Amino acid sequence: MALLHQRAASPPNPSNPSNPPRPAAPGKLPGLAMAVGGVALAWGVHALLPVVPMLTAAVVLGIAAAHLPGVRARVRGAGKPGLTLAGKRLMRVGIVLLGLKLSLDDVLGLGWATVAMVLAVVAATFFGTLWLGRRLGLRGDQPLLIATGYSICGASAIGAVSEVSGSDEEDVATSVALVTLCGTLAIAVLPLLHHPLGLGDAQFGRWAGASVHDVGQVVATAQTAGQAALGDAVLVKLMRVALLAPLVAAVAVSARGRRRGVVQASGKRPPLVPLFVLGFLAMVAVRTTGLVPGGVLDAAQHAQELLLAAALFGLGSAVHLPSLVRTGGRVAALGLSSWVVIAGASYGGVLLTT
């Protein structure tokens, strides 16, 4: 009996073919290299087709890589740890740098009426989408993530909220795919409605800023109406981005309450406000001082775009289209409904405030 215990406790013998050592888990470098390659390809797509934002191209390329024969095995195997790291850690750093785009002086310069309009549009879109998603019976955190993506800033907001809500990776990937698809369609659809809806150039810019999801998609949409429209669109959009911090903090408080039992068992208490949200607010404060040189802001913007592109490539690589198809009808219904809500509410808000 003692001999049997000794054999059971003995470590595996590499020289014994009947008891081979376990293969080492793949490191993060292969996946990070894939993310870098995805960013390079996304930059190339944007350079050839400027109407396609680099972040949108990064998500689409990530989805494609996860399903192409000969590539998907590496993406879902050796590349998965590094791609997951890109989708989470690099996303946080990119969101922190996103704060350098926002100055409180610029926001207040648009007037309190516009601030109130943006608050109303974000609230109506978020709570309306969340309610409808629950009624449609979507799984897990999909209603929360889709509501966040539509109302705030697309895939970046989904990544931020998923960090504090502990959302399932598949829910995150599905929500990113839906929001990216609708934001991409907005680039083509909204300019066609510019004049039929009776909007001036500045009004169209504000409408695009209040209704299109991702910052890059807003730029691609609003630039069709000229520089004046583009300037207003970016400012209105950045006002929505500013609401990311309080929304993430609220989700963190809610998640903290839901996990109270887990916290008691593990002894770990999640932070009330995540560090990357505090970093985002700190960057807003730094930008507001006006002391940051233009060269530093330009470098930070390029770094932020590259980091978010790598993160979105990682998130896109987690999309599993067969799973998306299984809930495709309900997800599509929620996406279309939310799109109508935010487009309609922001259109009415622009007419009332300009």
Side-chain angles (χ1 to χ4, degrees):
M1 183 64 70
L3 181 60
L4 290 176
H5 282 295
Q6 184 179 2
R7 289 180 178 176
S10 61
N13 183 4
S15 63
N16 185 359
S18 63
N19 193 15
R22 293 182 180 179
K28 297 180 175 62
L29 287 180
L32 290 175
M34 291 180 188
V36 171
V39 171
L41 288 174
W43 180 86
V45 171
H46 177 64
L48 292 173
L49 301 170
V51 72
V52 179
M54 186 171 70
L55 300 186
T56 300
V59 175
V60 174
L61 289 169
I63 296 173
H67 295 85
L68 285 176
V71 179
R72 61 189 176 196
R74 295 183 180 181
V75 169
R76 300 190 183 278
K80 186 173 179 61
L83 290 170
T84 301
L85 176 69
K88 292 184 177 181
R89 303 294 182 181
L90 298 186
M91 175 69 75
R92 294 179 184 180
V93 180
I95 290 171
V96 170
L97 293 178
L98 188 61
L100 284 175
K101 286 187 172 182
L102 182 63
S103 168
L104 293 180
D105 294 335
D106 292 337
V107 172
L108 296 178
L110 289 174
W112 288 107
T114 301
V115 173
M117 181 268 289
V118 171
L119 289 172
V121 169
V122 168
T125 305
F126 179 80
F127 290 109
T129 303
L130 186 62
W131 175 83
L132 182 58
R134 300 297 187 202
R135 292 296 297 260
L136 289 173
L138 292 184
R139 53 163 284 180
D141 284 339
Q142 283 183 0
L144 170 65
L145 298 175
I146 293 172
T148 301
Y150 273 80
S151 60
I152 303 293
C153 56
S156 302
I158 291 173
V161 167
S162 68
E163 286 288 313
V164 298
S165 63
S167 302
D168 179 76
E169 186 177 14
E170 188 174 333
D171 289 346
V172 177
T174 299
S175 303
V176 166
L178 177 66
V179 170
T180 301
L181 173 62
C182 290
T184 303
L185 291 175
I187 297 173
V189 173
L190 263 63
L192 298 178
L193 300 175
H194 177 182
H195 296 297
L197 290 179
L199 294 173
D201 290 346
Q203 288 178 315
F204 176 76
R206 294 191 177 201
W207 184 44
S211 61
V212 181
H213 316 316
D214 181 79
V215 176
Q217 294 164 345
V218 168
V219 171
T221 304
Q223 68 184 1
T224 61
Q227 287 298 314
L230 179 59
D232 278 8
V234 171
L235 285 178
V236 171
K237 176 60 188 175
L238 291 178
M239 289 175 62
R240 288 167 63 195
V241 173
L243 298 177
L244 177 63
L247 177 61
V248 171
V251 173
V253 171
S254 176
R256 197 180 192 185
R258 292 199 311 266
R259 298 177 190 172
R260 188 167 299 166
V262 177
V263 169
Q264 291 174 352
S266 64
K268 296 180 180 179
R269 183 180 296 273
L272 185 61
V273 180
L275 287 177
F276 71 91
V277 175
L278 295 177
F280 172 85
L281 294 174
M283 291 300 101
V284 173
V286 169
R287 174 64 188 270
T288 303
T289 65
L291 300 177
V292 184
V296 174
L297 292 176
D298 290 340
Q301 178 176 346
H302 291 309
Q304 172 248 320
E305 290 178 351
L306 293 174
L307 288 167
L308 288 182
L312 292 178
F313 182 86
L315 289 176
S317 70
V319 174
H320 189 236
L321 290 180
S323 299
L324 183 60
V325 169
R326 283 197 293 270
T327 57
R330 287 174 294 162
V331 169
L334 179 60
L336 179 60
S337 300
S338 185
W339 196 8
V340 170
V341 168
I342 193 169
S346 57
Y347 175 69
V350 167
L351 293 181
L352 289 173
T353 56
T354 56

